[in-house]
Amino acid sequence: MDIQTVIKAIPGLTEPQAEKLCRYYEMLMDWNSRMNLTAITGEDEVLKKHFADSLLPLELIPEGANLIDVGTGAGFPGLPIAIARPDVRVTLLDSLNKRIGFLREVCKELDINADCIHDRAEDGGRNPALREKFDIAVSRAVARVSPLAEYTVPFLKVGGRSMMYKGPQAAAELKEGERALKLLCCRGEIRSYPAEWGERSVIILTKQKPTAKAYPRKAGTAEKKPL
């Protein structure tokens, strides 16, 4: 993966930002040979389906926002956002410590100022240091809308937005999650993005009131018994 190819595929990036994405790709492939980080490994696919995909809704993130990536995995979408938008304060949260180790190494190598936290979303959402502290929560390939709302909304300030990366099923998922949105005091909408790698949508939940103390419920409950 070379710098000019990245810049051509993702307009608006500077050369130093494209260089960081290239190095991120190299580290991702190196670590992926020793632990399972991604099933997508080809340069073109990673460039489009991971990097460019992560940056599709970049214009929805306010300048200077405090952002948390819930269930970040190998760093998507949080790390590409941190690279493309250095004004955004990024926190990467994941339940697997090995992934957090990888993310810390990437941040150190690429001089990215991001917090990497090993925790389950349910426990993080109850932590006073994280609860209702963020302007934006992002999530990608984590869960369906109902459990995902319970995972992400407790992190948000009132007026904050949970941005869920989805495919063509976004409208059906949003409808399915209507009860969860009501209980978590959110308003939902969908933004669609044309992409050559598939139909892409972002479900946006805007938080209208503080989250009730009952949420999130204990670990594993949101998936087993969706709201």
Side-chain angles (χ1 to χ4, degrees):
M1 187 178 294
D2 66 87
I3 295 169
Q4 292 306 318
T5 299
V6 175
I7 290 175
K8 185 177 179 181
I10 311 174
L13 288 182
T14 65
E15 284 203 9
Q17 289 168 341
E19 185 176 358
K20 285 187 177 184
L21 286 175
C22 289
R23 180 60 185 137
Y24 180 15
Y25 172 74
E26 292 171 356
M27 295 184 73
L28 179 65
M29 293 303 101
D30 178 38
W31 281 65
N32 201 57
S33 66
R34 302 190 297 276
M35 59 181 285
N36 182 27
L37 289 170
T38 177
I40 298 172
T41 57
E43 286 189 8
D44 188 61
E45 279 200 307
V46 171
L47 176 58
K48 293 174 181 176
K49 295 181 179 180
H50 280 332
F51 293 168
D53 194 80
S54 294
L55 299 177
L56 286 175
L58 207 58
E59 82 285 352
L60 299 178
I61 302 172
E63 185 175 354
N66 196 12
L67 177 148
I68 185 167
D69 182 356
V70 180
T72 186
F76 306 115
L79 270 181
I81 291 172
I83 291 169
R85 288 283 301 277
D87 62 292
V88 175
R89 294 162 296 192
V90 173
T91 296
L92 305 170
L93 182 90
D94 200 84
S95 62
L96 188 61
N97 201 33
K98 288 183 179 180
R99 293 190 193 121
I100 292 298
F102 164 70
L103 296 172
R104 285 178 176 148
E105 285 298 312
V106 173
C107 290
K108 181 180 178 181
E109 172 83 13
L110 302 184
D111 192 27
I112 296 171
N113 186 21
D115 293 324
C116 302
I117 299 177
H118 172 225
D119 210 349
R120 292 185 66 103
E122 301 96 328
D123 297 326
R126 288 189 171 275
N127 182 345
L130 300 174
R131 187 178 176 90
E132 302 198 325
K133 301 297 184 187
F134 296 88
D135 305 297
I136 301 288
V138 292
S139 51
R140 185 172 176 265
V142 175
R144 297 183 72 81
V145 167
S146 179
L148 195 48
E150 189 171 350
Y151 295 152
T152 59
V153 170
F155 290 104
L156 296 172
K157 303 171 184 176
V158 174
R161 290 178 290 179
S162 175
M163 294 166 42
M164 307 172 177
Y165 290 60
K166 297 289 182 180
Q169 79 286 5
E173 279 201 42
L174 184 57
K175 184 171 181 57
E176 176 188 283
E178 284 179 351
R179 184 170 183 270
L181 269 62
K182 184 176 180 180
L183 291 171
L184 294 165
C185 303
C186 292
R187 183 185 74 251
E189 60 181 303
I190 298 174
R191 296 284 182 95
S192 297
Y193 294 89
E196 61 180 273
W197 54 93
E199 185 180 338
R200 302 298 291 154
S201 298
V202 174
I203 294 175
I204 304 163
L205 307 185
T206 302
K207 183 169 177 174
Q208 298 175 305
K209 294 180 181 179
T211 303
K213 291 182 180 180
Y215 307 113
R217 293 168 292 171
K218 66 180 182 180
T221 306
E223 296 257 13
K224 293 176 183 176
K225 298 179 179 179
L227 294 176

